[in-house]
Coordinates of all heavy atoms in Angstrom, one line a residue:
E225 N 50.0 17.3 -1.7 CA 49.5 17.9 -0.5 C 48.0 17.9 -0.5 O 47.3 17.6 0.5 CB 50.0 19.4 -0.3 CG 49.5 20.0 1.0 CD 50.7 20.5 1.8 OE1 51.8 20.6 1.3 OE2 50.5 20.9 2.9
K226 N 47.4 18.2 -1.6 CA 45.9 18.2 -1.7 C 45.3 16.8 -1.4 O 44.3 16.7 -0.8 CB 45.5 18.7 -3.1 CG 44.0 18.8 -3.4 CD 43.7 19.3 -4.7 CE 42.2 19.5 -4.9 NZ 41.9 20.0 -6.2
L227 N 46.0 15.8 -1.9 CA 45.5 14.4 -1.7 C 45.7 14.0 -0.3 O 44.8 13.3 0.3 CB 46.2 13.5 -2.6 CG 45.6 12.1 -2.8 CD1 44.2 12.2 -3.2 CD2 46.4 11.3 -3.9
I228 N 46.8 14.4 0.4 CA 46.9 14.1 1.8 C 45.7 14.7 2.6 O 45.1 14.1 3.4 CB 48.3 14.6 2.4 CG1 49.5 13.9 1.8 CG2 48.3 14.7 3.9 CD1 49.9 12.7 2.5
Q229 N 45.4 16.0 2.3 CA 44.3 16.7 2.9 C 43.0 15.9 2.7 O 42.2 15.8 3.6 CB 44.2 18.1 2.4 CG 45.4 19.0 2.8 CD 45.4 20.3 2.0 OE1 44.5 20.6 1.3 NE2 46.5 21.0 2.2
Q230 N 42.8 15.5 1.4 CA 41.5 14.9 1.1 C 41.3 13.6 1.9 O 40.2 13.3 2.4 CB 41.4 14.6 -0.4 CG 41.2 15.9 -1.2 CD 41.3 15.7 -2.7 OE1 41.7 14.6 -3.2 NE2 40.8 16.6 -3.4
Y231 N 42.4 12.8 2.0 CA 42.3 11.5 2.7 C 42.1 11.8 4.2 O 41.2 11.1 4.8 CB 43.6 10.7 2.5 CG 43.8 10.0 1.2 CD1 45.0 9.8 0.6 CD2 42.7 9.6 0.4 CE1 45.2 9.2 -0.6 CE2 42.8 9.0 -0.8 CZ 44.1 8.7 -1.3 OH 44.2 8.1 -2.5
I232 N 42.8 12.6 4.8 CA 42.6 12.9 6.3 C 41.2 13.5 6.5 O 40.5 13.0 7.4 CB 43.7 13.9 6.8 CG1 45.1 13.2 6.8 CG2 43.3 14.3 8.2 CD1 46.2 14.2 7.1
H233 N 40.8 14.4 5.7 CA 39.4 15.0 5.8 C 38.4 13.9 5.7 O 37.4 13.8 6.5 CB 39.3 16.1 4.8 CG 38.0 16.8 4.9 ND1 37.3 17.2 3.8 CD2 37.3 17.3 5.9 CE1 36.2 17.9 4.2 NE2 36.2 17.9 5.5
A234 N 38.5 13.1 4.7 CA 37.5 12.0 4.5 C 37.4 11.0 5.6 O 36.4 10.6 6.0 CB 37.7 11.3 3.1
M235 N 38.6 10.7 6.2 CA 38.6 9.8 7.3 C 38.0 10.4 8.6 O 37.3 9.7 9.4 CB 40.1 9.3 7.6 CG 40.6 8.4 6.5 SD 42.1 7.5 6.9 CE 43.2 8.8 7.6
S236 N 38.2 11.7 8.7 CA 37.7 12.4 9.9 C 36.2 12.4 10.0 O 35.6 12.4 11.1 CB 38.2 13.8 10.0 OG 37.6 14.6 9.1
H237 N 35.5 12.2 8.9 CA 34.1 12.2 8.9 C 33.5 11.1 9.7 O 32.3 11.1 10.1 CB 33.5 12.2 7.4 CG 33.7 13.5 6.8 ND1 33.6 13.7 5.4 CD2 33.9 14.8 7.3 CE1 33.8 15.0 5.1 NE2 33.9 15.6 6.2
Q238 N 34.3 10.0 9.8 CA 33.8 8.9 10.6 C 33.6 9.2 12.1 O 32.8 8.6 12.8 CB 34.9 7.8 10.5 CG 34.7 6.6 11.4 CD 35.7 5.5 11.2 OE1 36.3 5.4 10.2 NE2 36.0 4.8 12.3
K239 N 34.3 10.3 12.6 CA 34.3 10.6 14.0 C 33.5 11.8 14.4 O 33.3 12.1 15.5 CB 35.8 10.8 14.4 CG 36.6 9.6 14.3 CD 36.3 8.5 15.3 CE 37.1 7.3 15.2 NZ 36.7 6.3 16.2
V240 N 33.1 12.6 13.4 CA 32.5 13.9 13.8 C 31.1 14.2 13.2 O 30.7 13.6 12.2 CB 33.4 15.1 13.3 CG1 34.8 15.0 13.9 CG2 33.5 15.2 11.8
K241 N 30.4 15.1 13.9 CA 29.1 15.6 13.4 C 29.4 16.8 12.6 O 30.2 17.7 13.0 CB 28.2 15.9 14.6 CG 27.8 14.8 15.4 CD 26.9 15.2 16.6 CE 26.5 14.0 17.5 NZ 25.7 14.4 18.6
A242 N 28.8 16.9 11.4 CA 28.9 18.1 10.6 C 27.6 18.2 9.7 O 27.0 17.2 9.4 CB 30.1 18.0 9.7
E243 N 27.3 19.4 9.4 CA 26.1 19.6 8.6 C 26.2 18.9 7.2 O 25.2 18.4 6.8 CB 25.9 21.2 8.4 CG 24.6 21.5 7.7 CD 24.5 23.0 7.6 OE1 24.8 23.8 8.5 OE2 24.1 23.5 6.5
E244 N 27.3 18.9 6.6 CA 27.6 18.3 5.3 C 28.8 17.4 5.4 O 29.8 17.8 6.0 CB 27.8 19.4 4.2 CG 26.6 20.3 3.9 CD 25.6 19.6 3.1 OE1 25.9 18.6 2.4 OE2 24.4 20.1 3.1
K245 N 28.7 16.3 4.8 CA 29.9 15.4 4.7 C 29.8 14.8 3.3 O 28.9 14.0 2.9 CB 29.8 14.2 5.7 CG 29.9 14.6 7.1 CD 29.9 13.4 8.0 CE 29.8 13.7 9.5 NZ 29.8 12.4 10.3
W246 N 30.8 15.2 2.4 CA 30.7 14.8 1.0 C 31.7 13.7 0.7 O 31.8 13.2 -0.4 CB 31.0 16.0 0.1 CG 30.0 17.1 0.2 CD1 28.7 17.0 0.5 CD2 30.3 18.5 0.1 NE1 28.1 18.2 0.5 CE2 29.1 19.2 0.3 CE3 31.4 19.2 -0.2 CZ2 28.9 20.5 0.2 CZ3 31.3 20.6 -0.3 CH2 30.1 21.2 -0.1
S247 N 32.5 13.3 1.7 CA 33.5 12.3 1.5 C 33.6 11.3 2.7 O 33.2 11.7 3.8 CB 34.9 12.9 1.2 OG 35.3 13.7 2.3
F248 N 34.1 10.1 2.4 CA 34.3 9.2 3.5 C 35.3 8.1 3.2 O 35.3 7.5 2.1 CB 33.0 8.5 3.8 CG 33.1 7.3 4.8 CD1 33.4 7.5 6.1 CD2 33.0 6.0 4.3 CE1 33.6 6.4 7.0 CE2 33.1 4.9 5.1 CZ 33.4 5.1 6.5
Y249 N 36.2 7.9 4.1 CA 37.1 6.8 4.1 C 37.2 6.3 5.5 O 37.4 7.1 6.5 CB 38.6 7.1 3.7 CG 38.7 7.0 2.2 CD1 38.9 8.2 1.4 CD2 38.7 5.8 1.5 CE1 39.1 8.2 0.1 CE2 38.9 5.8 0.1 CZ 39.1 7.0 -0.6 OH 39.2 6.9 -2.0
E250 N 37.0 5.0 5.7 CA 37.0 4.5 7.1 C 38.5 4.6 7.6 O 39.4 4.3 6.8 CB 36.6 3.0 7.1 CG 36.4 2.4 8.5 CD 35.7 1.1 8.5 OE1 35.1 0.7 7.5 OE2 35.6 0.5 9.6
I251 N 38.6 4.9 8.8 CA 40.0 5.0 9.4 C 40.5 3.6 9.7 O 39.8 2.8 10.4 CB 39.9 5.8 10.8 CG1 39.4 7.2 10.5 CG2 41.3 5.8 11.5 CD1 39.1 8.0 11.8
T252 N 41.7 3.3 9.2 CA 42.3 2.0 9.5 C 43.8 2.3 9.8 O 44.3 3.3 9.4 CB 42.3 1.0 8.3 OG1 43.0 1.6 7.2 CG2 40.8 0.8 7.8
D253 N 44.4 1.4 10.6 CA 45.8 1.5 10.9 C 46.6 1.5 9.6 O 47.6 2.3 9.5 CB 46.3 0.4 11.8 CG 45.8 0.5 13.2 OD1 45.4 1.6 13.6 OD2 45.7 -0.6 13.9
E254 N 46.3 0.7 8.6 CA 47.0 0.7 7.4 C 47.0 2.0 6.7 O 48.0 2.5 6.1 CB 46.4 -0.4 6.5 CG 47.1 -0.7 5.2 CD 46.5 -1.8 4.4 OE1 45.3 -2.1 4.6 OE2 47.1 -2.2 3.5
R255 N 45.8 2.7 6.7 CA 45.7 4.0 6.0 C 46.5 5.1 6.8 O 47.2 5.9 6.2 CB 44.3 4.4 5.9 CG 43.6 3.6 4.8 CD 42.1 3.8 4.7 NE 41.5 3.1 3.6 CZ 40.2 2.9 3.4 NH1 39.4 3.4 4.3 NH2 39.8 2.2 2.3
I256 N 46.4 5.0 8.1 CA 47.2 6.0 8.9 C 48.7 5.8 8.6 O 49.4 6.7 8.4 CB 46.9 5.8 10.4 CG1 45.4 6.3 10.6 CG2 47.8 6.6 11.3 CD1 44.9 5.9 12.0
D257 N 49.2 4.5 8.7 CA 50.6 4.2 8.4 C 51.0 4.7 7.0 O 52.1 5.2 6.9 CB 50.9 2.7 8.6 CG 50.8 2.3 10.1 OD1 50.9 3.1 11.0 OD2 50.6 1.1 10.3
F258 N 50.2 4.4 6.1 CA 50.5 4.9 4.7 C 50.7 6.4 4.6 O 51.6 6.9 4.0 CB 49.3 4.4 3.7 CG 49.5 4.9 2.3 CD1 50.5 4.3 1.5 CD2 48.7 5.9 1.8 CE1 50.6 4.8 0.2 CE2 48.8 6.3 0.5 CZ 49.8 5.7 -0.3
L259 N 49.8 7.1 5.2 CA 49.9 8.6 5.2 C 51.1 9.1 6.0 O 51.8 10.0 5.5 CB 48.6 9.2 5.7 CG 47.4 9.0 4.8 CD1 46.1 9.6 5.5 CD2 47.6 9.6 3.4
L260 N 51.4 8.5 7.1 CA 52.6 8.8 7.9 C 53.8 8.5 7.1 O 54.8 9.3 7.1 CB 52.6 8.1 9.2 CG 51.7 8.6 10.3 CD1 51.6 7.6 11.5 CD2 52.1 10.0 10.8
S261 N 53.8 7.4 6.3 CA 55.0 7.1 5.5 C 55.2 8.1 4.4 O 56.3 8.5 4.0 CB 54.9 5.7 4.9 OG 53.9 5.6 3.9
Q262 N 54.1 8.7 3.9 CA 54.2 9.7 2.8 C 54.8 11.0 3.4 O 55.5 11.7 2.7 CB 52.8 10.0 2.2 CG 52.2 8.9 1.4 CD 53.1 8.5 0.2 OE1 53.3 9.3 -0.7 NE2 53.7 7.3 0.2
L263 N 54.6 11.3 4.6 CA 55.1 12.5 5.3 C 56.6 12.4 5.3 O 57.3 13.4 5.4 CB 54.5 12.7 6.6 CG 53.0 12.9 6.7 CD1 52.6 13.2 8.2 CD2 52.6 14.1 5.8
K264 N 57.2 11.1 5.4 CA 58.6 10.9 5.5 C 59.3 11.1 4.1 O 60.5 11.3 4.1 CB 58.9 9.6 6.1 CG 58.5 9.4 7.5 CD 58.7 8.1 8.1 CE 58.2 8.0 9.5 NZ 58.1 6.6 10.0
V265 N 58.6 11.0 3.0 CA 59.2 11.0 1.7 C 59.0 12.3 1.0 O 59.5 12.4 -0.2 CB 58.8 9.8 0.9 CG1 59.3 8.5 1.5 CG2 57.3 9.7 0.6
N266 N 58.3 13.2 1.5 CA 58.0 14.5 0.9 C 57.9 15.6 1.9 O 57.6 15.3 3.1 CB 56.7 14.4 0.0 CG 56.7 15.4 -1.1 OD1 57.6 16.1 -1.3 ND2 55.5 15.4 -1.8
N267 N 58.0 16.8 1.5 CA 57.8 17.9 2.4 C 56.5 18.6 2.0 O 56.2 18.9 0.8 CB 59.0 19.0 2.2 CG 60.3 18.4 2.6 OD1 60.4 17.7 3.7 ND2 61.3 18.6 1.9

């Protein structure tokens, strides 16, 4: 769960203004699909 949060949080930095941004992953369809697939195999 912690890793799902870290990935989504880091990707969101591409789209938002914030005082601090310590992480970054570019948003791609492949990454979104990967995370959605993880939601199907775990609760």
Side-chain angles (χ1 to χ4, degrees):
E225 183 125 10
K226 182 176 182 179
L227 195 49
I228 293 271
Q229 292 167 7
Q230 289 174 343
Y231 285 151
I232 294 171
H233 184 219
M235 290 192 315
S236 73
H237 285 161
Q238 172 181 332
K239 298 288 182 183
V240 301
K241 294 179 183 178
E243 187 178 317
E244 295 282 339
K245 295 181 188 179
W246 298 328
S247 59
F248 168 71
Y249 275 109
E250 189 167 352
I251 298 171
T252 66
D253 287 337
E254 185 181 17
R255 288 174 173 166
I256 292 169
D257 290 340
F258 175 73
L259 293 174
L260 283 168
S261 74
Q262 291 299 296
L263 299 182
K264 293 177 182 169
V265 296
N266 202 6
N267 295 317

